[in-house]
Amino acid sequence: MSKTLGAWDKAKREQRKMTIVTAYDVTAARLAEAAGVDAVLVGDSLGMMVGGEADTLRVTLEQMLYHTEIVARAATNTLVMADLPFGSFEESPAQAFAACAKLLKAGAQIVKLEGGAPMVETVAFLSRRAVPVCAHIGLTPQHVRQMGGFKRQGKTPEAAAQLLEDALALEDAGARMVLMEAIPSDLAAEITAKLRVPTIGIGAGPGTDGQVLVFHDILGLTPGRAPAFAKRYLDGAQLITTALAEYVREVRESQFPA
Ligand code: KIV
């Protein structure tokens, strides 16, 4: 567990696997920190997990700032990564910098943005202005409408070559981490071997330097269906519903309060 990006670079050199879990509130941030994760991600997936939306497109920068502040206050010994939401950074590097400055002031130590080659200039601009960036490539949920759904990426040789080229260009531009979502395992492993910076995978096989999962997916609390690649470690919905039903029953039968 560490708050520094240097710890991630060191872990890559020493070939130690790193872990990230999403957190949007105090409860998740504290539990993730107590479990020893290496970073918490205030992901824009909060639009789906907290807001019950079908995708992440409606999440605003103001919502991200609110949740980043909460998580940073709760997870004081863990690296906090925060997402730039759709519409807050794509217009220009200057627009991205203004949004990043707010996220860093809210407590993020590193900011994640979605996009490959078109984001290289922005990543370079941010990196030269003291903003640590994690570049998110592969299945980028903010592009769901353009992609025609939440679909695996990098399946053809051309698409795989483009992803490798994008990852190298983003690293050259100054990205401190590269997150790869829903791409073939062998491609993720190849990119990981070619990059000096740490890679993080989700649905990208075991060959990346670290893994990230959504808190609700791990605990069986996802509203709707979790992605096939997410492993559920607990049937949280069942356990919590049983406890709540017990409370309801006890009140109705005058057993609680005693
Ligand atoms: O928003 C998010 O939770 C993410 C992860 C799925 C990587 O970007």
Side-chain angles (χ1 to χ4, degrees):
M1 204 183 336
S2 168
K3 270 186 87 87
T4 68
L5 286 168
W8 280 75
D9 298 333
K10 188 160 181 278
K12 168 135 190 160
R13 286 195 303 275
E14 295 172 357
Q15 296 186 355
R16 267 185 297 111
K17 296 281 187 183
M18 302 293 266
T19 53
I20 308 184
V21 167
T22 62
Y24 320 115
D25 60 20
V26 171
T27 307
R30 287 199 183 138
L31 292 172
E33 184 165 280
V37 300
D38 298 291
V40 283
L41 167 64
V42 189
D44 61 356
S45 52
L46 73 86
M48 301 167 77
M49 298 301 142
V50 177
E53 304 268 0
D55 56 43
T56 59
L57 298 187
R58 275 161 49 89
V59 175
T60 64
L61 182 58
E62 287 64 36
Q63 289 165 348
M64 291 306 302
L65 293 172
Y66 174 71
H67 287 275
T68 301
E69 270 179 25
I70 290 172
V71 168
R73 204 181 305 130
T76 49
N77 292 313
T78 306
L79 190 87
V80 176
M81 181 185 292
D83 264 341
L84 280 171
F86 183 63
S88 71
F89 65 100
E90 301 89 335
E91 276 174 38
S92 67
Q95 185 206 23
F97 179 77
C100 287
K102 289 181 182 166
L103 284 171
L104 294 191
K105 286 179 196 200
Q109 269 111 20
I110 179 164
V111 169
K112 176 162 81 61
L113 60 78
E114 294 185 13
M119 283 300 127
V120 168
E121 187 196 344
T122 296
V123 171
F125 187 92
L126 296 173
S127 302
R128 284 198 301 269
R129 286 163 180 78
V131 179
V133 177
C134 172
H136 181 159
I137 60 172
L139 196 178
T140 43
Q142 292 173 10
H143 303 167
V144 61
R145 299 208 180 140
Q146 191 182 40
M147 289 175 168
F150 295 99
K151 295 188 175 150
R152 291 189 73 75
Q153 301 295 309
K155 289 193 291 193
T156 64
E158 297 74 29
Q162 183 65 55
L163 281 171
L164 172 59
E165 200 180 298
D166 287 2
L168 290 168
L170 289 160
E171 175 181 75
D172 278 351
R176 296 295 306 270
M177 295 185 199
V178 174
L179 187 149
M180 300 178 274
E181 178 165 353
I183 67 169
S185 300
D186 53 351
L187 174 62
E190 184 190 352
I191 293 175
T192 298
K194 291 202 164 128
L195 292 188
R196 296 179 307 275
V197 297
T199 62
I200 304 151
I202 176 162
T208 53
D209 298 310
Q211 296 289 329
V212 57
L213 278 180
V214 170
F215 182 85
H216 293 61
D217 291 344
I218 295 176
L219 299 179
L221 297 173
T222 310
R225 232 186 17 203
F229 55 66
K231 181 167 175 188
R232 193 176 75 181
Y233 288 82
L234 183 77
D235 190 351
Q238 176 65 41
L239 286 172
I240 292 171
T241 309
T242 303
L244 292 174
E246 183 69 353
Y247 159 69
V248 170
R249 187 189 60 75
E250 287 195 1
V251 171
R252 288 187 181 149
E253 295 176 5
S254 301
Q255 289 176 18
F256 176 84

